[in-house]
Amino acid sequence: MKSNVTMRDIAVKLGVSSVTVSKALNDKEGVSEELKLKIKDLAEEMGYRFNVMAKSMKEGCSYNIGVIIPERFTGEDQSFYLKFYQHITKMLERYNYYGILQILPTNDEEKLILPRTYYENKVDGFVILGQVSSEYIDLLTEHEIPKVLLDFYTDHSEVDSIVTDNFYGVYELTNYLIKNGHREIAFIGNIHSTSSIQDRYLGYYKSLLEHKIPLNTNYIINDRDERGKYIDLELPEQLPTAFVCNCDQVGFNLINKLISLNYSIPDDCSVVGFDNDIYSTLSNPPLTTVQVDTEEMAKVAVKFLIEKIKDKNKSYGRVLIKGKIIHRDSVKTVSKEGHVSDLSSQI
Amino acid sequence: MKSNVTMRDIAVKLGVSSVTVSKALNDKEGVSEELKLKIKDLAEEMGYRFNVMAKSMKEGCSYNIGVIIPERFTGEDQSFYLKFYQHITKMLERYNYYGILQILPTNDEEKLILPRTYYENKVDGFVILGQVSSEYIDLLTEHEIPKVLLDFYTDHSEVDSIVTDNFYGVYELTNYLIKNGHREIAFIGNIHSTSSIQDRYLGYYKSLLEHKIPLNTNYIINDRDERGKYIDLELPEQLPTAFVCNCDQVGFNLINKLISLNYSIPDDCSVVGFDNDIYSTLSNPPLTTVQVDTEEMAKVAVKFLIEKIKDKNKSYGRVLIKGKIIHRDSVKTVSKEGHVSDLSSQI
DNA sequence: CTGAAAGCGCTTACAG
DNA sequence: CTGAAAGCGCTTACAG
């Protein structure tokens, strides 16, 4: 993609003035229909992108609106992505940049329509926050737009992305359960849906492998359909002593279900989650879970993006940021309940 | 406040060139310390604001970063303010504007420091989303910055603000409870904290007045301290038949507390909330509540702001946007339980 | 240490 | 219908 086609470039190619190009592109009076069409066609062909900033300068109007949210309204129990966005904003400030939040409509994503900010030269790069189709990522790559994926990655390992270390997080969490005497451990999550869930599952599996605990397929429980909608959990006939849930929300759902079946948590079985979001504190008991280090992730994402803007050749690939186990009240030690010998024979 | 002081203005006043002013203001080589100071002082005195856009144009770098969030990650159970922001963004697009989300640090709010976007001419106006101190609002007013308050208002009625109709919403909700036979109705909320809660309380009170139900001060229950932190609810010795909670979160807390005291909802008493946020669906049973029309509010806010940017003299004052009652399972009709005669005598 | 000139990419107002 | 000129506010590179 050509990077900086201007009205003048178009004008020169057509042997007209840039004033005429401006008029044509803005559908103003004073250009013959024929010439107007020619100009528009060439503009498209040359990959022309309007420069709002120049217009802004002329008009003394920035075409930006600042939306202010007081800090105290963005506390603990707010949305995960808002928290991310907030950290991104904070990091950007250090570089004298501003963040423009754009909700990418599903339709634009499917039809592969780039954000208007790109066409108007409003931004120098993008942070993609949350899994977008790989076709869309490819599109951004083709246009050579500096970008960093945050909280997900694609199968192209050369695309720079910052993700939490899902694998390691659940691996540690499962180790922790095993250290507390659990050996019947189930995993809840659709292991075919997102890469995050898959990685979390593999972390769980690795921990089992390392402790020579066989993988029990009855203990792999689906939690959502292909569209990501939560389904009713089908619990195995014999309950495990612990559940590793792929996220806090499912942990929350599971605890409610178990309670409604008259089980007591963590006495009858332990439950752990992932994310340390609002659901981990709403369940009763609150969930032991893994806290994603959103601040560090945002920091790294911004740093990388700015570097890439300065130097197009910079590349970082996939970067994993470790999370941290948050201990709450949903896990019980079961070492005294018959599994002791099994455990000790393992050590 | 002067609106458009440029480097040239400063240069002319000092009888130097604008190049020198540029160097001085950017702390670059080639200006004597003495002159540099003079220029900086005059700049401050004249209320000079740097124009990033001009710099941007020169450098071909917008100094904006687009943060993309796919639509499907901003669904139902996300934060209230993110939803607002999303609607604002969508509305702004219609006017070819972009929103820059800024978290206003509490420190800047207290020290009355304006957002940097203002000093850099990055924005044409502000949507203030969430209660900011009235001193801060006054500051914005003094600087003649176009602004609209969203989701709160100040005591200056001439400041344009868009709020949900708290008064009418709770009034309707209380009417609904009374229509269902309730006469012992408590209100939960700190009626001295925010204007929203106060208005909701007054809506409750008006409904009681209209139905000739005396206000029982034992039925006004505080839910938070001066800092807005939730406190343990002190329930009256004799439980009312219904609770009007100032927000869903408190409704959620109340239901949990009542259940832990072995009450059954809505059989033993009904509970209603306000906001229709995540807490209204997390409680068991889910809460009957009032849905705030965030989309309409954002729409009106943006429309007003754009009008005000075009014409500084436009003024709208406080605008109330009506919400909508969402019926769920936390209310029971009690007309057959002894209050029937009272009720009918009223009608 | 100081500044005249040129340019970033566009638009407006005017002349042909 | 078409375009030369000037300007939006700043900065860079060069000359004095």
Side-chain angles (χ1 to χ4, degrees):
Chain A
M1 289 286 127
K2 311 96 218 161
S3 52
N4 270 321
V5 182
T6 70
M7 287 190 179
R8 171 165 288 133
D9 295 335
I10 298 173
V12 169
K13 267 217 172 160
L14 246 35
V16 298
S17 83
S18 57
V19 177
T20 301
V21 174
S22 171
K23 284 174 185 159
L25 260 24
N26 288 299
D27 270 323
K28 293 207 169 150
E29 302 277 288
V31 198
S32 66
E33 275 309 312
E34 206 193 327
L35 183 53
K36 199 181 263 187
L37 268 179
K38 248 205 235 166
I39 291 174
K40 285 188 175 176
D41 285 350
L42 184 59
E44 171 126 33
E45 191 190 316
M46 294 175 72
Y48 172 75
R49 294 186 285 140
F50 183 70
N51 186 327
V52 232
M53 271 184 318
K55 183 188 180 182
S56 295
M57 267 220 52
K58 192 96 236 296
E59 301 182 351
C61 215
S62 78
Y63 285 103
N64 281 136
I65 289 283
V67 174
I68 304 178
I69 300 188
E71 191 178 54
R72 61 177 177 283
F73 287 103
T74 55
E76 276 312 294
D77 53 354
Q78 303 291 330
S79 135
F80 189 62
Y81 281 110
L82 186 58
K83 201 193 274 175
F84 255 127
Y85 184 65
Q86 182 184 348
H87 285 135
I88 293 169
T89 297
K90 219 170 256 172
M91 294 307 162
L92 284 174
E93 284 204 10
R94 298 194 186 166
Y95 299 93
N96 287 317
Y97 264 83
Y98 291 100
I100 293 181
L101 181 76
Q102 300 168 266
I103 312 295
L104 176 65
T106 307
N107 184 49
D108 287 10
E109 187 182 345
E110 282 168 2
K111 298 244 174 73
L112 297 180
I113 299 168
L114 288 169
R116 213 178 45 194
T117 42
Y118 169 70
Y119 292 109
E120 296 186 352
N121 272 316
K122 264 293 215 196
V123 298
D124 304 334
F126 289 110
V127 172
I128 321 288
L129 183 48
Q131 189 130 24
V132 159
S133 76
S134 69
E135 288 79 13
Y136 201 84
I137 303 297
D138 290 346
L139 181 69
L140 291 165
T141 306
E142 281 163 24
H143 285 254
E144 292 180 356
I145 308 169
K147 65 179 178 306
V148 166
L149 315 188
L150 187 52
D151 202 37
F152 77 106
Y153 57 79
T154 62
D155 40 1
H156 295 314
S157 63
E158 76 282 4
V159 176
D160 303 300
S161 50
I162 318 291
V163 289
T164 190
D165 199 335
N166 290 302
F167 180 83
Y168 181 81
V170 173
Y171 167 71
E172 284 271 273
L173 207 50
T174 312
N175 284 348
Y176 166 74
L177 287 172
I178 293 173
K179 209 181 297 168
N180 277 278
H182 295 273
R183 295 189 58 82
E184 313 285 313
I185 305 173
F187 180 86
I188 302 194
N190 183 334
I191 61 179
H192 302 294
S193 63
T194 69
S195 53
S196 303
I197 298 181
Q198 212 161 71
D199 293 346
R200 290 174 194 184
Y201 166 67
L202 292 174
Y204 153 85
Y205 186 33
K206 178 182 169 65
S207 174
L208 294 189
L209 283 176
E210 284 196 357
H211 293 85
K212 302 224 171 71
I213 299 175
L215 186 68
N216 180 343
T217 50
N218 293 325
Y219 281 174
I220 303 173
I221 300 159
N222 192 10
D223 69 335
R224 64 192 77 190
D225 61 22
E226 316 77 46
R227 294 179 188 167
K229 199 168 172 298
Y230 288 122
I231 59 176
D232 192 39
L233 299 172
E234 280 184 38
L235 300 180
E237 285 192 18
Q238 191 183 340
L239 229 52
T241 64
F243 286 95
V244 173
C245 299
N246 79 87
C247 69
D248 289 337
Q249 187 167 359
V250 164
F252 173 84
N253 292 343
L254 173 68
I255 286 184
N256 286 345
K257 180 166 184 126
L258 288 172
I259 287 176
S260 76
L261 294 171
N262 282 318
Y263 288 105
S264 164
I265 317 295
D267 290 335
D268 294 331
C269 77
S270 298
V271 177
V272 296
F274 201 102
D275 287 339
N276 193 34
D277 65 21
I278 187 170
Y279 289 98
S280 66
T281 56
L282 288 176
S283 66
N284 192 0
L287 283 168
T288 289
T289 186
V290 178
Q291 178 175 36
V292 175
D293 193 344
T294 49
E295 187 168 353
E296 181 66 19
M297 287 171 72
K299 186 172 160 184
V300 172
V302 168
K303 194 184 153 204
F304 284 5
L305 186 56
I306 304 279
E307 293 290 333
K308 285 166 68 76
I309 289 169
K310 282 196 211 140
D311 176 1
K312 297 250 175 196
N313 296 316
K314 288 245 175 168
S315 177
Y316 301 89
R318 281 179 206 155
V319 176
L320 301 177
I321 307 291
K322 291 212 187 319
K324 190 177 119 192
I325 297 185
I326 305 290
H327 294 279
R328 294 213 181 83
D329 310 324
S330 63
V331 174
K332 188 194 167 194
T333 302
V334 297
S335 42
K336 288 165 190 163
E337 287 178 33
H339 295 297
V340 179
S341 55
D342 298 26
L343 186 68
S344 54
S345 72
Q346 240 40 269
I347 298 173
Chain B
M1 289 287 128
K2 309 99 218 158
S3 52
N4 270 323
V5 183
T6 70
M7 287 190 179
R8 172 165 284 134
D9 295 335
I10 299 172
V12 169
K13 266 216 175 165
L14 246 33
V16 298
S17 83
S18 56
V19 177
T20 303
V21 174
S22 170
K23 284 174 185 160
L25 261 24
N26 289 298
D27 270 325
K28 293 207 169 152
E29 302 278 289
V31 198
S32 66
E33 275 310 310
E34 207 192 324
L35 182 53
K36 199 181 264 187
L37 268 180
K38 248 205 233 167
I39 291 174
K40 285 187 175 179
D41 285 350
L42 184 60
E44 171 125 35
E45 192 190 315
M46 293 176 72
Y48 171 75
R49 293 187 286 141
F50 183 69
N51 186 326
V52 232
M53 272 184 318
K55 183 188 179 181
S56 296
M57 268 220 51
K58 192 95 236 297
E59 302 183 350
C61 214
S62 78
Y63 286 102
N64 281 137
I65 290 283
V67 175
I68 304 178
I69 300 187
E71 193 176 53
R72 62 178 177 282
F73 287 103
T74 57
E76 276 311 296
D77 53 354
Q78 304 290 329
S79 137
F80 189 63
Y81 281 110
L82 186 58
K83 201 192 274 173
F84 254 127
Y85 185 64
Q86 183 184 348
H87 285 135
I88 292 169
T89 297
K90 218 170 257 171
M91 295 306 163
L92 284 174
E93 283 204 10
R94 297 194 186 167
Y95 299 92
N96 287 317
Y97 264 84
Y98 291 100
I100 294 181
L101 180 74
Q102 301 169 265
I103 314 294
L104 177 64
T106 306
N107 183 49
D108 286 10
E109 187 182 346
E110 282 169 3
K111 298 244 174 75
L112 297 179
I113 298 168
L114 288 169
R116 212 178 46 192
T117 42
Y118 169 71
Y119 291 109
E120 296 186 354
N121 273 314
K122 263 293 215 196
V123 298
D124 304 333
F126 290 110
V127 172
I128 320 286
L129 183 48
Q131 189 130 24
V132 159
S133 75
S134 68
E135 288 79 12
Y136 201 84
I137 303 297
D138 290 347
L139 181 70
L140 291 164
T141 306
E142 280 163 25
H143 285 253
E144 293 180 355
I145 308 170
K147 64 177 178 308
V148 166
L149 314 188
L150 187 52
D151 201 40
F152 77 106
Y153 58 80
T154 61
D155 40 2
H156 295 312
S157 63
E158 75 281 4
V159 176
D160 303 300
S161 51
I162 319 292
V163 288
T164 190
D165 199 337
N166 289 302
F167 180 84
Y168 181 81
V170 174
Y171 166 72
E172 284 271 274
L173 207 49
T174 312
N175 284 346
Y176 165 74
L177 287 172
I178 294 173
K179 210 182 297 167
N180 278 278
H182 295 273
R183 293 190 61 82
E184 313 286 311
I185 305 174
F187 179 86
I188 303 193
N190 183 335
I191 60 179
H192 302 295
S193 62
T194 70
S195 54
S196 304
I197 298 181
Q198 212 161 70
D199 293 346
R200 290 174 193 184
Y201 165 68
L202 292 173
Y204 153 85
Y205 186 34
K206 178 181 169 64
S207 173
L208 295 188
L209 282 176
E210 283 194 358
H211 294 85
K212 303 225 172 73
I213 298 175
L215 186 68
N216 180 343
T217 51
N218 293 325
Y219 281 174
I220 303 172
I221 300 159
N222 192 9
D223 69 335
R224 64 191 79 188
D225 61 23
E226 316 78 46
R227 293 179 188 166
K229 198 170 172 297
Y230 289 123
I231 58 176
D232 192 39
L233 299 172
E234 280 185 38
L235 300 180
E237 284 192 20
Q238 191 182 341
L239 228 53
T241 64
F243 286 95
V244 173
C245 300
N246 78 87
C247 68
D248 289 336
Q249 187 168 359
V250 164
F252 173 83
N253 292 343
L254 174 67
I255 286 184
N256 285 345
K257 183 172 181 122
L258 288 171
I259 287 176
S260 74
L261 295 171
N262 284 317
Y263 288 106
S264 161
I265 316 296
D267 290 334
D268 294 330
C269 78
S270 299
V271 177
V272 296
F274 201 102
D275 287 339
N276 193 34
D277 65 22
I278 187 172
Y279 288 99
S280 66
T281 56
L282 288 177
S283 67
N284 191 1
L287 284 167
T288 289
T289 186
V290 178
Q291 178 174 38
V292 174
D293 193 344
T294 49
E295 186 167 355
E296 180 67 18
M297 287 171 73
K299 186 172 163 184
V300 172
V302 168
K303 193 183 155 207
F304 284 5
L305 186 56
I306 303 280
E307 293 289 333
K308 284 166 69 77
I309 289 169
K310 280 197 211 138
D311 176 2
K312 297 249 176 198
N313 296 317
K314 290 247 174 165
S315 177
Y316 301 90
R318 281 179 205 154
V319 176
L320 301 178
I321 308 291
K322 291 213 189 316
K324 188 177 121 194
I325 296 184
I326 305 291
H327 294 278
R328 294 211 181 85
D329 311 323
S330 63
V331 174
K332 188 193 168 194
T333 303
V334 297
S335 43
K336 286 167 190 163
E337 289 178 30
H339 295 298
V340 180
S341 55
D342 297 26
L343 186 70
S344 54
S345 72
Q346 240 39 267
I347 298 173

